[in-house]
Amino acid sequence: MPSWRWLLHSSTPVLPGLPDRQAEMRTGGLYWLACESPDTADRLCTQLLMSLPASARALLVNAAGASRDLVKAIPDDRGPGHLTLFDLPAMSPRRMIQAVRQDVPRVRGGEQAIWLIRVPHKGWDELVAESLALWCSRAQDWLRSVGSTLLVVGDTPPPALLDILLRHNDNISGLAQVYVAQGARHLLVHFWSNDAGVNGPHDFLLLDEGNGFRVSPRPEDDNAAPIANDQRQVLADTAVLAGEAPPTAQWQLFDDPDALLERGMDAQAATVIFALSGTDDVNALARRLYQLRSHCGRAVKLVVREMLQGLRQHEEQLLLASGANLVVPLGTPFLRFLTLVRSIQGHRWQRPMAAEPSALLARLQPLQVRGSLSPRAFAAAAKKMADNTVGTEVRHQLLRLQPLPTLTPAVVLQQLQLRRYGDIACIAGDVPYLFLFACSPSLVDAALRNVFRLPWQDVLAGYESVLPSQVLSMAQFQSDESAPVDALVLEPTDAQPDVEAFRPLQPQKISLQALEARQ
């Protein structure tokens, strides 16, 4: 029985590097790939189709968008010789499972073919477990009967879904997951069954090379390496103690970060701790960390302790990507700080090392632009910033704003006060858009409170978070016409972090007259 080599086969131009035992799909098999974001899922679907030989027959079912969007980047001389496209409208997970279960076996030309089904994973929880298990069982029976192979590619899986799929592994031939951790994208193959047998879990780095992904083995601990004689030594900036006494005699303190760097260059497995006094020092500290990590290797432990101003998300990721094992947040009690330092003893730094630090600085910092732009300039800047941080834990928000019925898009932009570099706005097709650099989904409401001069609910009826890859290529973003009203631009020094403000309650005196007046 023949087996299909999927998107991770080492001999194809797509994601080279994965061993064959995790690269082949057997005929009659149902495989599942869960990705951390819709953009990654879409790109992997496109790469899979592009890597198929001209002799292959493929069918694409897209329940997460338009199929044509996934294939428009495939050159005419690449991809399968026969490709059939299907779109499914948005529907609940149960209805979608039922629709696929009923409709897929009816499609003509599905024999001896590779099926690719792209799905959104939102709402896939324990309530869909029974329907999903039944579909997987029937799908494998049908695939075997027609000599075909099926790969499901989904995005943003809830934890319950992976548990469900692992629980029903008898009805699934393979399960893999793309996730982001410690600033790097990973491919975790939970299990993979093919003609070579069943392969257990294995974690790979998934590297983004701009025009495609490839996999790389994770840096492994060198068990044969001798234990360094300085592994219990701590070299630290005096400021990290915040007035406390050194915990042990093995702590050596330095008042000058350059002196700490010079001494740290001799470290083998010691712990080197830097104090970060403000965000103005982030870039210089990132370069010091990179120097140490490049020179001393993976066994040295590099720690950063925030002392004054809170870091933004992309700045923390910059420090971690430059070589830090740990960034201790502002406000961490001293004893907790010492516990965190002890917790990384014996660890080796596992991230991929950049070729040189300036590339990291360029990737993880916003463009020096803010305020309202023309649609074309907005799209170019937003895409550039989104592309720069692919593969990191930095998340941006592209919001389609919905003004109140009484307000025009121009009035909405007039109410914006964009302080931070990377926060930009535009009006495209009479619709206002807002791009927030390094803003996680949980902080969107807090960010909107910061960027609107009025409470944002007094300006907007709502907003919708959209994917740059699905929106910025639309025709309305090809205009060079500037917005009729510019968003207010403030100096970056006036920027406030996008965090919830929790203030301690204070007792207040109130007279009975005032209370009666309020009634």
Side-chain angles (χ1 to χ4, degrees):
M1 180 178 294
S3 61
W4 300 105
R5 295 181 182 272
W6 70 305
L7 70 164
L8 300 177
H9 183 235
S10 59
S11 64
T12 70
V14 182
L15 297 183
L18 198 72
D20 285 355
R21 62 182 180 273
Q22 277 115 3
E24 293 183 347
M25 296 192 298
R26 60 179 174 83
T27 301
L30 166 61
Y31 298 82
W32 209 289
L33 175 62
C35 300
E36 95 290 358
S37 71
D39 183 67
T40 298
D42 288 345
R43 291 180 63 189
L44 288 174
C45 285
T46 300
Q47 289 179 263
L48 168 61
L49 294 171
M50 191 182 302
S51 69
L52 294 176
S55 59
R57 172 185 294 174
L59 300 97
L60 170 64
V61 180
N62 195 350
S67 296
R68 294 192 179 278
D69 290 341
L70 297 182
V71 302
K72 63 184 181 182
I74 301 178
D76 293 339
D77 59 344
R78 299 283 298 278
H82 188 279
L83 177 61
T84 306
L85 307 180
F86 300 93
D87 289 337
L88 282 180
M91 59 184 72
S92 68
R94 278 189 172 181
R95 284 191 60 202
M96 183 170 65
I97 293 170
Q98 184 178 7
V100 173
R101 188 173 68 205
Q102 293 175 348
D103 294 340
V104 164
R106 300 174 183 172
V107 175
R108 294 182 180 179
E111 303 84 8
Q112 303 294 320
I114 299 175
W115 283 81
L116 178 62
I117 300 182
R118 170 74 174 90
V119 299
H121 277 150
K122 184 177 181 180
W124 293 60
D125 52 22
E126 289 289 347
L127 297 178
V128 305
E130 184 177 350
S131 300
L132 185 58
L134 179 61
W135 177 74
C136 290
S137 176
R138 292 184 176 178
Q140 286 216 129
D141 292 341
W142 174 76
L143 289 166
R144 284 191 289 266
S145 70
V146 297
S148 295
T149 301
L150 190 154
L151 174 65
V152 179
V153 180
D155 63 78
T156 55
L161 175 63
L162 296 173
D163 292 339
I164 292 169
L165 294 172
L166 287 169
R167 197 162 62 236
H168 297 292
N169 58 72
D170 290 343
N171 298 319
I172 301 176
S173 301
L175 173 63
Q177 175 189 2
V178 177
Y179 70 97
V180 173
Q182 295 186 337
R185 186 184 278 110
H186 297 250
L187 172 71
L188 173 59
V189 180
H190 290 276
F191 65 93
W192 207 257
S193 175
N194 49 38
D195 294 345
V198 179
N199 296 281
H202 198 94
D203 201 337
F204 299 88
L205 287 174
L206 188 58
L207 306 180
D208 187 353
E209 298 187 319
N211 58 349
F213 295 106
R214 69 178 176 89
V215 295
S216 172
R218 294 183 61 186
E220 302 292 342
D221 287 352
D222 185 1
N223 295 324
I227 298 176
N229 58 12
D230 67 343
Q231 61 179 336
R232 300 182 65 184
Q233 188 174 27
V234 178
L235 309 174
D237 191 325
T238 304
V240 303
L241 295 178
E244 301 284 348
T248 69
Q250 293 178 330
W251 279 58
Q252 186 177 352
L253 302 180
F254 299 82
D255 294 329
D256 180 14
D258 288 330
L260 174 58
L261 171 65
E262 183 178 355
R263 174 63 181 85
M265 296 294 277
D266 296 328
Q268 300 178 58
T271 302
V272 183
I273 308 177
F274 289 92
L276 180 62
S277 300
T279 55
D280 291 342
D281 302 329
V282 170
N283 290 356
L285 178 54
R287 291 187 177 92
R288 292 188 179 100
L289 293 170
Y290 187 90
Q291 269 187 276
L292 285 171
R293 182 60 66 196
S294 301
H295 180 78
C296 301
R298 298 183 177 274
V300 68
K301 281 84 66 179
L302 305 181
V303 180
V304 176
R305 188 181 189 192
E306 283 186 78
M307 304 306 298
L308 291 179
Q309 189 173 355
L311 279 173
R312 290 172 64 184
Q313 183 191 40
H314 73 281
E315 292 168 334
E316 180 180 5
Q317 290 302 312
L318 173 61
L319 296 177
L320 292 170
S322 297
N325 297 76
L326 175 69
V327 176
V328 181
L330 178 71
T332 302
F334 184 67
L335 292 179
R336 174 61 177 161
F337 161 63
L338 296 180
T339 300
L340 291 172
V341 171
R342 286 194 296 268
S343 72
I344 64 170
Q345 300 308 305
H347 288 193
R348 290 173 65 90
W349 194 69
Q350 295 292 333
R351 297 170 183 264
M353 195 72 187
E356 40 86 24
S358 61
L360 287 173
L361 294 174
R363 285 188 62 202
L364 293 174
Q365 288 190 331
L367 299 180
Q368 297 298 292
V369 60
R370 62 187 189 276
S372 68
L373 306 173
S374 70
R376 187 190 300 273
F378 176 91
K383 184 178 186 305
K384 176 68 173 176
M385 289 186 281
D387 290 347
N388 280 351
T389 52
V390 166
T392 73
E393 294 175 44
V394 177
R395 292 291 176 266
H396 317 295
Q397 297 301 315
L398 176 57
L399 305 180
R400 180 186 288 131
L401 306 180
Q402 301 164 4
L404 290 173
T406 56
L407 300 179
T408 66
V411 171
V412 171
L413 258 62
Q414 189 177 24
Q415 291 300 316
L416 285 172
Q417 45 184 13
L418 299 179
R419 306 174 173 94
R420 308 186 312 167
Y421 285 122
D423 289 352
I424 54 178
C426 80
I427 298 176
D430 206 34
V431 176
Y433 287 86
L434 175 64
F435 182 85
L436 299 172
F437 183 87
C439 177
S440 64
S442 62
L443 293 177
V444 170
D445 281 358
L448 291 178
R449 286 198 295 272
N450 281 340
V451 301
F452 277 101
R453 289 187 287 175
L454 295 173
W456 69 264
Q457 294 88 347
D458 294 346
V459 180
L460 302 178
Y463 60 87
E464 178 187 4
S465 181
V466 295
L467 292 175
S469 59
Q470 295 181 357
V471 172
L472 298 180
S473 60
M474 296 166 59
Q476 52 263 45
F477 285 96
Q478 304 307 310
S479 170
D480 291 316
E481 183 178 355
S482 298
V485 177
D486 194 9
L488 178 63
V489 174
L490 301 182
E491 289 304 312
T493 53
D494 298 327
Q496 298 298 318
D498 297 332
V499 297
E500 297 284 355
F502 295 97
R503 298 181 178 87
L505 296 177
Q506 299 290 340
Q508 296 181 355
K509 294 181 179 180
I510 185 170
S511 66
L512 290 177
Q513 292 80 2
L515 186 62
E516 290 171 357
R518 292 180 62 185
Q519 293 175 342

